[in-house]
Amino acid sequence: MKLSNRTSCALAVAAALASLPAVAQEAEKAAKGLERIEVTARKTVESIQEVPVAVTSVGAVELAEKGISTVVEVQQMSPNTTLQKSRGTNSTLTAFIRGVGQEDPLWGYEPGVGIYVDDIYMARPQGAVLDILNVERVEVLRGPQGTLYGKNTIGGAVKYVTKQMTGDTELSVKGTVGSYGQKDLKFSGQLPLLEDKLYLGVGYANLNRDGFGSFLTSALDGQDRENYNKDLQAYRLTLEYQPTTDLFVRLNYDKTEDKSNAKGGYRLLPSILTDAPVPDSKYDSYTSLPTWNKVENEGLSLTIDWEINDEFAFKSITARREGYSPTNIDFDNTSLRIFDVPAIYDDEQFTQEFQLNYQTDGFKMVSGLYYYTADSCGQFEAILDVLGQTAFGTPGLTREVRGCSNGDSIAAYAQGTYDLTDKLSLTAGLRYTKDEKEATVYNGLVFTTVYPESGWVPGYVRDENLINASVPKVLDDKDDWSRLTPKLGLEYQYSRDMMFYASYGQGFKSGTFNPRASGPEIAADPEIVDSFEIGMKSDWNNTVRFNATLFMLDHKDRQYISVIPDPNDSSVLNQRLGNIGSSEAKGAEIELTVAASDDLKIFANLGYIDADFKEVLSYVDPNTPIDISDRYSVTNTPEVTASLGFNYTIASSMGDFIVNGNYYYRSEYDLVELDNLLSQDSYGLVNLGINWYSDDGHWTVGLHGKNLTDEEYLVGNYAFIAKDPANPGNYIPGLGGDHTLIGYYGDPRTFSLTVGYRF
């Protein structure tokens, strides 16, 4: 079984590769004034201006012309949205929308923002940093999507929609060179096997880049010292069958092999246990672990679309995904084994969805049945050799935690819109979900250095007998939950080009067991988000598009680790996962497009949010829990996000030139939830690009510069220290006995040149 990290990357790569288009220039030439943007936010094709949902859609033309390479850049187009590469790997996604997400990517935890590729749910954040490779569009749905999309969309959803093949014989090739030794090659082709009925698509991508920095020291010889590098290959096969205009079948297979190094963090404080000063570069690090990292993913999906008649449409989506990822995370980032965490993530999932849609004059409805089953397993070794030597006099000390969180989920949903009058419509929906989850956790101390597998480091042999004797099963339990999630809204079509709407929606994140449990404990119940929203969508004289939203949400039963005394020994404090927190948020979002002329378009968006914890209970004294909400921060959520950009077309005898640029701003935000020690100051990114399209439609060339002012900004962290109350400005060492305050950073200034040819 090998699949879950970067599975999505493979899917996106493949999708791109299966239909690499040269239609960008035709689409751009055809777009005079405001273009009609179609989305599937409500699981049926609609104009974005007709959908009473706060949704941003970024199409293939815009993605290509801006040189957007990964999903994290899409956050610049969507207000109140955070999409970042997570901490110790290049492929794990940290996603927050309107202050709601999930920071810890450990197996067993559920995400707060759902990731979908062609309506297929990607269950884990590992592998969700998708490379944008000519998908048809990316949609960002803000706010709970619990009725149509189900659990784990309490913040919203990010949807990738890939392209359907044209049916012609095609071959496309793209090559990119750029900063830090970037060398990318992508090609795709399609071949009709039965004219106008059966088509075969193939694709391949090879994406390479040197590191932004390096590992300055390593306790192991012969290790690749590149840090923040990229080494990825992806393959895809697609069969599309359309025997009639009413029936469409697509079979996809994709595989990704990612050999990019594990990502080392930047020490924000010098080590007190070894010679590891703060490095000069934010992208340099130290490590005592191997630097290799491996992600293998495979996926198979079958989609059937059947237009039964003018009123009814049926859709079936069947998908299986598998992923396997051994990774090395050096929490302390030193050459000593102070706090090393080699780990393995091992996942597989199967989903089946049936949709039945109905539409007639005055009424339309989306309904469906959904089944999901997944095994999410993993293990990590917390190697604390220095602590073992000092406290126990042993040659090493390792805490091993391993286990599985296996779940099944079934759901039924329906959402309909009824026209009360020519202008006023009512939308109502309801989803019933039944979740079952079974978890096992093994947790114990081994008084030696332990790695997940033999050969993890040269010469290491894993002693299973010793480990099994030291690492007992501490949790073996199951639980189930059921939930009804409603949606209710009113839409008022003031004029043909202006709509007002108001809605209430609810979403929930699944209950879960503590994957780090040290003993028996009950599962945490689901998190609940209630959201209220009012909005306006408007077009003015086919030149100005102005969409605005006001929202308020109540996030209850947040799942957090709390400290609880052992009932048999008051001197022992246990960490338990429970529903101990609640938060609220209110804010506004504006999205603006101005077609200043046939050649010049201006884009802007603005997001504002005020998000705070209202209650977090501490159970140090179980009889009198206290509220410590003032110690908690809503992380990865700037108060203000904003972007201003332009797109200008220059027609010439040599072909069309398209110049674009944007400035993206994020105000200050915190990165540590409890007793925040790390905040990122406000910053802005400047991006510029120029694209050329040949008149014959064969050649494309793009030159792009990203982060031109070379801003340094934090996107992740590890914080294992505490402020010293007796000595202001000083810190108390945390787990591992060192000053472990580690930062991970976004990409530095880069330039790239892409040349494409379509045969």
Side-chain angles (χ1 to χ4, degrees):
M1 169 182 98
K2 300 190 167 168
L3 131 281
S4 164
N5 283 43
R6 273 277 159 108
T7 258
S8 16
C9 181
L11 188 60
V13 168
L17 298 171
S19 58
L20 205 66
V23 299
Q25 79 187 86
E26 288 87 348
E28 183 65 25
K29 287 179 178 178
K32 302 297 183 183
L34 298 174
E35 62 177 315
R36 175 184 170 89
I37 299 174
E38 292 186 338
V39 296
T40 54
R42 296 196 292 180
K43 295 197 173 183
T44 185
V45 178
E46 300 172 285
S47 165
I48 195 171
Q49 294 302 96
E50 299 171 355
V51 179
V53 176
V55 55
T56 298
S57 179
V58 187
V61 174
E62 186 175 0
L63 292 169
E65 290 180 353
K66 291 184 176 179
I68 292 177
S69 58
T70 66
V71 66
V72 298
E73 295 181 77
V74 174
Q75 75 171 7
Q76 299 184 25
M77 268 70 64
S78 179
N80 288 327
T81 299
T82 294
L83 302 172
Q84 304 280 23
K85 295 178 186 176
S86 190
R87 300 170 286 203
T89 74
N90 288 317
S91 60
T92 302
L93 182 68
T94 298
F96 278 72
I97 297 178
R98 293 181 177 175
V100 181
Q102 173 63 38
E103 190 168 5
D104 194 338
L106 200 66
W107 71 88
Y109 287 128
E110 304 288 353
V113 175
I115 307 296
Y116 295 81
V117 179
D118 289 333
D119 285 334
I120 298 168
Y121 174 58
M122 315 302 294
R124 299 288 168 243
Q126 288 82 18
V129 177
L130 309 185
D131 287 83
I132 301 297
L133 297 165
N134 294 334
V135 296
E136 182 174 302
R137 65 184 180 273
V138 177
E139 300 175 13
V140 180
L141 285 58
R142 298 186 296 277
Q145 308 295 320
T147 301
L148 290 181
Y149 292 91
K151 66 176 186 176
N152 303 341
T153 58
I154 54 175
V158 179
K159 295 184 58 179
Y160 297 75
V161 182
T162 64
K163 291 193 174 184
Q164 192 172 324
M165 283 189 272
T166 64
D168 299 325
T169 300
E170 293 181 1
L171 178 62
S172 299
V173 180
K174 275 190 176 182
T176 300
V177 294
S179 305
Y180 300 95
Q182 180 184 0
K183 297 181 182 67
D184 296 345
L185 175 64
K186 296 176 280 188
F187 75 80
S188 66
Q190 58 182 51
L191 179 70
L193 302 179
L194 292 176
E195 186 176 358
D196 297 329
K197 293 185 184 299
L198 182 64
Y199 320 114
L200 172 67
V202 297
Y204 170 77
N206 190 313
L207 311 177
N208 289 273
R209 189 198 65 237
D210 297 336
F212 297 142
S214 62
F215 290 96
L216 301 176
T217 63
S218 173
L220 301 172
D221 295 329
Q223 294 294 305
D224 184 351
R225 295 291 185 87
E226 297 284 344
N227 194 20
Y228 288 81
N229 71 328
K230 190 168 189 176
D231 182 1
L232 181 143
Q233 293 187 82
Y235 315 81
R236 183 182 180 93
L237 287 174
T238 302
L239 273 176
E240 292 183 357
Y241 180 54
Q242 190 157 10
T244 69
T245 57
D246 299 327
L247 182 63
F248 172 76
V249 181
R250 176 190 281 174
L251 178 67
N252 283 333
Y253 168 78
D254 63 84
K255 183 175 182 178
T256 298
E257 298 176 346
D258 181 10
K259 297 180 181 179
S260 307
N261 284 350
K263 194 161 61 175
Y266 174 76
R267 286 197 65 90
L268 292 154
L269 295 173
S271 171
I272 61 174
L273 298 180
T274 186
D275 182 18
V278 175
D280 293 333
S281 169
K282 297 294 193 296
Y283 305 100
D284 286 346
S285 189
Y286 313 93
T287 187
S288 55
L289 281 170
T291 59
W292 56 261
N293 185 71
K294 183 172 68 172
V295 179
E296 295 180 349
N297 292 287
E298 280 185 297
L300 186 66
S301 64
L302 175 67
T303 301
I304 302 172
D305 271 308
W306 179 27
E307 298 288 338
I308 301 173
N309 53 40
D310 291 341
E311 289 83 26
F312 286 96
F314 171 80
K315 188 173 187 178
S316 170
I317 307 167
T318 308
R320 179 181 177 84
R321 311 213 55 81
E322 296 182 352
Y324 174 76
S325 177
T327 186
N328 289 284
I329 306 173
D330 192 329
F331 277 56
D332 58 281
N333 290 270
T334 71
S335 296
L336 293 180
R337 291 195 293 262
I338 298 173
F339 192 3
D340 294 357
V341 185
I344 295 176
Y345 295 90
D346 199 351
D347 297 279
E348 66 178 38
Q349 68 174 75
F350 173 83
T351 57
Q352 174 64 61
E353 183 167 9
F354 297 113
Q355 295 177 18
L356 183 64
N357 299 340
Y358 175 78
Q359 182 167 342
T360 189
D361 290 340
F363 180 69
K364 55 186 176 183
M365 183 181 70
V366 177
S367 63
L369 299 173
Y370 182 76
Y371 172 71
Y372 162 90
T373 183
D375 294 342
S376 180
C377 301
Q379 75 178 78
F380 68 80
E381 323 294 329
I383 301 172
L384 307 165
D385 281 7
V386 172
L387 182 61
Q389 294 162 10
T390 57
F392 303 101
T394 65
L397 178 68
T398 303
R399 176 173 290 279
E400 178 172 287
V401 179
R402 68 179 186 270
C404 291
S405 180
N406 304 328
D408 294 296
S409 183
I410 57 173
Y413 63 89
Q415 180 171 299
T417 299
Y418 178 71
D419 294 337
L420 301 172
T421 69
D422 290 342
K423 294 182 176 294
L424 185 64
S425 300
L426 172 69
T427 295
L430 193 65
R431 186 184 189 105
Y432 172 78
T433 304
K434 176 67 178 294
D435 269 5
E436 295 181 354
K437 188 168 286 188
E438 183 175 358
T440 57
V441 178
Y442 294 79
N443 190 330
L445 284 174
V446 186
F447 289 94
T448 187
T449 302
V450 174
Y451 293 95
E453 296 174 338
S454 293
W456 195 278
V457 297
Y460 172 73
V461 177
R462 184 175 166 92
D463 187 341
E464 294 293 351
N465 291 329
L466 171 64
I467 294 169
N468 290 337
S470 304
V471 184
K473 181 190 289 186
V474 297
L475 177 67
D476 188 355
D477 203 352
K478 60 183 178 180
D479 206 340
D480 61 81
W481 308 269
S482 60
R483 189 79 192 179
L484 285 170
T485 49
K487 169 83 173 185
L488 185 64
L490 283 172
E491 302 91 50
Y492 180 67
Q493 196 71 41
Y494 176 78
S495 67
R496 186 175 65 89
D497 296 322
M498 182 177 293
M499 178 186 70
F500 297 91
Y501 68 92
S503 66
Y504 161 76
Q506 187 183 85
F508 81 99
K509 185 167 77 172
S510 180
T512 191
F513 289 91
N514 182 5
R516 298 186 182 90
S518 56
E521 61 178 87
I522 62 174
D525 287 330
E527 296 185 7
I528 308 297
V529 170
D530 292 296
S531 176
F532 301 87
E533 187 172 309
I534 59 174
M536 177 186 75
K537 296 195 172 184
S538 62
D539 289 347
W540 302 79
N541 299 321
N542 200 35
T543 58
V544 176
R545 175 166 293 159
F546 180 81
N547 296 340
T549 309
L550 298 175
F551 65 89
M552 179 174 62
L553 62 86
D554 182 16
H555 190 174
K556 298 185 291 290
D557 297 325
R558 296 187 67 151
Q559 301 163 356
Y560 282 104
I561 295 291
S562 62
V563 178
I564 301 177
D566 189 318
N568 300 316
D569 185 351
S570 60
S571 65
V572 177
L573 297 179
N574 295 317
Q575 289 189 337
R576 300 290 181 91
L577 179 68
N579 303 98
I580 60 172
S582 65
S583 64
E584 295 178 356
K586 54 183 178 293
E589 296 159 353
I590 294 174
E591 295 178 282
L592 175 70
T593 301
V594 179
S597 69
D598 288 343
D599 299 320
L600 176 63
K601 289 185 179 178
I602 298 171
F603 308 91
N605 68 68
L606 175 66
Y608 167 80
I609 186 169
D610 178 14
D612 293 295
F613 277 88
K614 298 303 177 185
E615 182 180 68
V616 180
L617 296 180
S618 173
Y619 289 88
V620 173
D621 181 349
N623 297 315
T624 57
I626 59 173
D627 184 3
I628 58 171
S629 56
D630 59 335
R631 296 174 56 189
Y632 274 75
S633 301
V634 177
T635 61
N636 297 286
T637 304
E639 188 176 73
V640 177
T641 59
S643 183
L644 177 64
F646 71 94
N647 196 85
Y648 185 64
T649 302
I650 304 171
S652 76
S653 59
M654 299 171 55
D656 283 358
F657 293 86
I658 297 176
V659 183
N660 61 68
N662 77 295
Y663 175 77
Y664 174 61
Y665 172 81
R666 288 171 71 86
S667 64
E668 180 183 2
Y669 54 91
D670 293 339
L671 287 104
V672 181
E673 284 182 320
L674 176 60
D675 296 329
N676 180 62
L677 295 171
L678 203 56
S679 297
Q680 171 60 51
D681 292 336
S682 60
Y683 68 91
L685 302 179
V686 177
N687 309 303
L688 287 173
I690 182 169
N691 303 271
W692 171 73
Y693 300 101
S694 66
D695 281 335
D696 61 11
H698 291 301
W699 289 96
T700 61
V701 178
L703 177 64
H704 298 97
K706 302 294 182 64
N707 188 10
L708 293 179
T709 57
D710 206 20
E711 295 289 325
E712 296 177 341
Y713 56 98
L714 287 158
V715 297
N717 78 99
Y718 287 117
F720 292 95
I721 58 172
K723 293 181 179 180
D724 187 348
N727 298 287
N730 293 323
Y731 299 95
I732 299 172
L735 191 60
D738 200 7
H739 282 167
T740 300
L741 184 62
I742 308 299
Y744 294 87
Y745 287 80
D747 291 1
R749 177 172 51 224
T750 59
F751 296 95
S752 64
L753 175 67
T754 299
V755 178
Y757 185 77
R758 182 189 185 194
F759 295 90

